Amino acid sequence: MPPADPGPSVAGRAPAAVAAHQTWAPAPSRRRTTLHPGAWWLWALGLGTAATRTTNPLLLALLISASAYVVATHRSPTPTARSYTAFARLALAVLLIRLLFAVALGSPIPGTHTLLNLPEVPLPHWAQGIRLGGRVTAEALVFAAYDGLKLATLLICVGAANALASPGRLLKSLPGALYETGVAVVVALTFAPHLVADVQRLRAARRLRGRPDRGLRGLLQVGLPVLEGALERSVALAAAMEARGYGRSAEVPARVRRTTAALTLGGLLGVCAGTYGLLTAEGGTYGLPVLLAGVAAALAGLKLGGRRSLRTRYRPDPWDARAWLVAGSGAAVAALLTLGAARDPEALHPGVVPLVAPTLPLWPAAAVLLALLPAFIVPREHA
């Protein structure tokens, strides 16, 4: 009698059965290590503060390069991340407009290197100090380029924050008292990225249909659908906010409301008075204590004001050591360039009269390189 068939072995099982067994196996849980969006904003604001401390084009170019490198390695393929290109174009437009104003309206900077002479339009006596046309000097153009590049760098730093930090995630981290204001700011911040995405989508559709997408005609043909889409998005957003009870607040006692208003207003006044004291020589003794007391009072007011907000936080982003390092790198760049502007103003603010080539100061340049720290301590999947 032949032995009974023991059945198919594991090696002889059908591939579908093995695949089904592997599919239904429980996947190991992964810990969420997403970087806090507030760390990206503090890093970018630190770089923007550093940009306001200098007009040296070499240092400003170094700041732009550092922020662009971090954005290129850590931004995600979202409409918000694609807004960095729009901010870069806006920065270039600001620089060109500043140069155009220097050519057309003149500049108070004296100069001896004349580039061209434009026809000057005579103005009445009450418009003294303003001129249209006239002599254009190299010193005036260089000064305008330094000034415009500083503002352009600040815009690029803001664009880096929009590309790296999701506004929706940042909204979850705000105190309850600032939730409604934060929603308005987030809606305003996401308007530009969605507008850029709509323009790109409509231009691609027109190219597929063989229609022009450049020039004045293409701009007019794309502008109306973009405006229509923005209006439809705003109506849908308003309906969604109303359906979710936006603006609904809890009932709190009158004394709590009065205490919240007093703490918040007193804290803001204390911050203003303490900041003024730190900026003046006479208020050096009381400036820091008043500033710290104002910040503490304002934070207490925000904590009490959060009782009126009926909302919960789902899976809030953790603020870990990596977030401290990212925010600290931006603060270190701002602090070191502020110190450099006080100790060596000629290096960070190169003169234009006489016209000389700017030099790269070594230790401020090394301080700017600290802005590259997030590119190495934040892994790509954690951005």
Side-chain angles (χ1 to χ4, degrees), residues 6-299:
S9 61
V10 175
R13 289 180 184 176
V18 178
H21 176 72
Q22 293 176 352
T23 302
W24 288 103
S29 60
R30 296 182 61 184
R31 182 183 176 186
R32 296 177 71 247
T33 54
T34 306
L35 187 68
H36 197 285
W40 285 123
W41 270 99
L42 291 177
W43 171 80
L45 291 177
L47 267 60
T49 303
T52 62
R53 300 292 93 190
T54 179
T55 57
N56 191 319
L58 300 179
L59 290 177
L60 293 175
L62 199 58
L63 282 170
I64 294 175
S65 302
S67 64
Y69 180 78
V70 175
V71 170
T73 55
H74 286 79
R75 68 175 176 179
S76 57
T78 60
T80 305
R82 289 196 295 268
S83 65
Y84 182 77
T85 305
F87 275 94
R89 292 176 179 176
L90 178 61
L92 180 60
V94 167
L95 179 60
L96 295 178
I97 291 173
R98 182 66 180 89
L99 291 174
L100 181 62
F101 280 178
V103 172
L105 302 180
S107 175
I109 302 299
T112 57
H113 299 79
T114 303
L115 297 179
L116 70 159
N117 285 300
L118 298 177
E120 187 171 355
V121 178
L123 297 176
H125 65 88
W126 50 265
Q128 293 181 359
I130 302 175
R131 67 175 177 86
L132 296 176
R135 189 168 65 99
V136 180
T137 62
E139 289 83 356
L141 282 183
V142 171
F143 178 80
Y146 289 174
D147 195 35
L149 185 59
K150 179 172 67 173
L151 182 56
T153 306
L154 183 60
L155 288 173
I156 289 177
C157 292
V158 175
N162 279 277
L164 294 170
S166 171
R169 285 171 47 205
L170 184 62
L171 180 62
K172 296 192 305 182
S173 305
L174 289 178
L178 300 178
Y179 178 70
E180 296 182 0
T181 305
V183 169
V185 173
V186 167
V187 170
L189 289 176
T190 54
F191 175 77
H194 285 293
L195 197 65
V196 172
D198 287 345
V199 171
Q200 293 177 349
R201 176 176 55 83
L202 290 171
R203 290 182 61 185
R206 290 184 62 84
R207 285 195 298 268
L208 290 175
R209 292 176 173 87
R211 298 178 181 178
D213 63 319
R214 297 182 180 275
L216 182 60
R217 182 180 177 184
L219 179 62
L220 294 177
Q221 295 293 331
V222 170
L224 186 60
V226 169
L227 178 61
E228 182 182 359
L231 292 176
E232 291 180 353
R233 190 181 300 111
S234 63
V235 173
L237 178 62
M241 293 171 66
E242 183 178 2
R244 288 167 173 80
Y246 175 75
R248 184 167 53 97
S249 58
E251 292 292 336
V252 295
R255 60 181 182 82
V256 176
R257 292 198 302 268
R258 289 193 294 266
T259 304
T260 302
L263 287 175
T264 305
L265 182 59
L268 293 178
L269 291 177
V271 169
C272 294
T275 305
Y276 176 78
L278 291 177
L279 295 177
T280 58
E282 295 80 5
T285 56
Y286 68 86
L288 184 59
V290 172
L291 177 62
L292 295 178
V295 170
L299 292 178

Side-chain angles (χ1 to χ4, degrees), residues 326-342:
V326 171
S329 63
V333 174
L336 290 175
L337 259 68
T338 302
L339 180 62

Side-chain angles (χ1 to χ4, degrees), residues 305-351:
R307 296 184 178 181
R308 300 186 62 203
S309 178
L310 297 176
R311 69 187 186 100
T312 58
R313 288 188 175 92
Y314 176 67
R315 299 177 68 182
D317 293 317
W319 186 278
D320 53 6
R322 189 180 291 112
W324 281 111
L325 290 175
V326 171
S329 63
V333 174
L336 290 175
L337 259 68
T338 302
L339 180 62
R343 291 192 172 184
D344 193 5
E346 294 182 358
L348 271 69
H349 298 277

